[in-house]
Amino acid sequence: MNFGETELRRLEPLDSPAPGDFEPQGVAKISSALTAVLADMFALYLKTKNFHWHVSGPHFRDYHLLLDEQSAQIFAATDAIAERVRKIGGTTLRSIGHIARLQRVADNDREYVAARDMLVELREDNKQLTDSLRSVHTVCDGYGDVASASLIENWIDEAEHRAWFLLEATR
């Protein structure tokens, strides 16, 4: 196949300015912070799904449904995070390997995890995510990125809500 000049131009990186009006340093800092949170979200999504698939015991149905709802909520946030990075002119995750290099949420590959231990671990992960989101909010505030900060406030509320449900389910 012979590419013409138009086809080659489409394969090159975009050289037009980002839709936002942030300084390059702001774009880099915000994008980096949001991308790390995105890696954590994917790690937490997969861990929550893993526990959803492998939970057992007397509260199976309740926990199974709870973890399915929570994993769906976490996954729903991933696209919004990545698109926000792109809107301000940054780049974000490109592979599972990239996620693995950035994630701060620890994987759990154990063959068996008791249901209560699953919920406690996910509660702690959601609390850790909340702390990370608050830090990213501070970065966004520093560069006047109110749109990202506004989205982050919703994700903080969602993570706190998940942590609360997980806490109450373990009492």
Side-chain angles (χ1 to χ4, degrees):
M1 176 179 214
N2 188 8
F3 288 105
E5 188 177 326
T6 304
E7 288 84 4
L8 284 175
R9 247 186 271 170
R10 277 188 249 151
L11 297 175
E12 295 173 3
L14 296 175
D15 56 3
S16 60
D21 57 356
F22 299 103
E23 297 293 325
Q25 180 182 1
V27 171
K29 294 282 189 182
I30 296 166
S31 296
S32 176
L34 283 172
T35 296
V37 164
L38 181 59
D40 286 342
M41 286 283 206
F42 274 115
L44 183 57
Y45 164 74
L46 191 55
K47 181 188 273 189
T48 304
K49 251 336 195 187
N50 168 28
F51 289 168
H52 159 79
W53 294 324
H54 294 101
V55 71
S56 61
H59 301 288
F60 167 78
R61 185 175 183 345
D62 292 334
Y63 294 165
H64 185 77
L65 294 174
L66 173 67
L67 297 178
D68 197 37
E69 289 170 6
Q70 290 195 356
S71 65
Q73 182 183 65
I74 294 163
F75 187 72
T78 61
D79 195 49
I81 296 168
E83 287 183 356
R84 184 66 197 153
V85 171
R86 295 296 292 140
K87 282 180 206 174
I88 66 168
T91 59
T92 193
L93 296 173
R94 298 189 184 275
S95 68
I96 292 172
H98 196 177
I99 292 168
R101 289 189 298 276
L102 296 178
Q103 77 183 66
R104 296 159 295 192
V105 172
D107 292 332
N108 185 325
D109 297 329
R110 291 192 310 255
E111 190 72 27
Y112 173 79
V113 180
R116 185 179 191 289
D117 293 341
M118 289 177 177
L119 301 184
V120 168
E121 188 171 335
L122 289 174
R123 183 184 75 225
E124 292 305 311
D125 290 339
N126 276 282
K127 286 169 58 178
Q128 176 186 337
L129 179 65
T130 300
D131 292 342
S132 296
L133 286 164
R134 285 189 179 113
S135 294
V136 178
H137 193 285
T138 301
V139 171
C140 294
D141 285 345
Y143 289 99
D145 184 359
V146 295
S148 292
S150 177
L151 291 168
I152 290 167
E153 290 165 5
N154 291 320
W155 300 325
I156 289 170
D157 183 58
E158 289 173 356
E160 288 175 340
H161 191 262
R162 289 189 302 269
W164 171 47
F165 267 59
L166 292 163
L167 171 67
E168 294 301 335
T170 59
R171 288 185 189 232

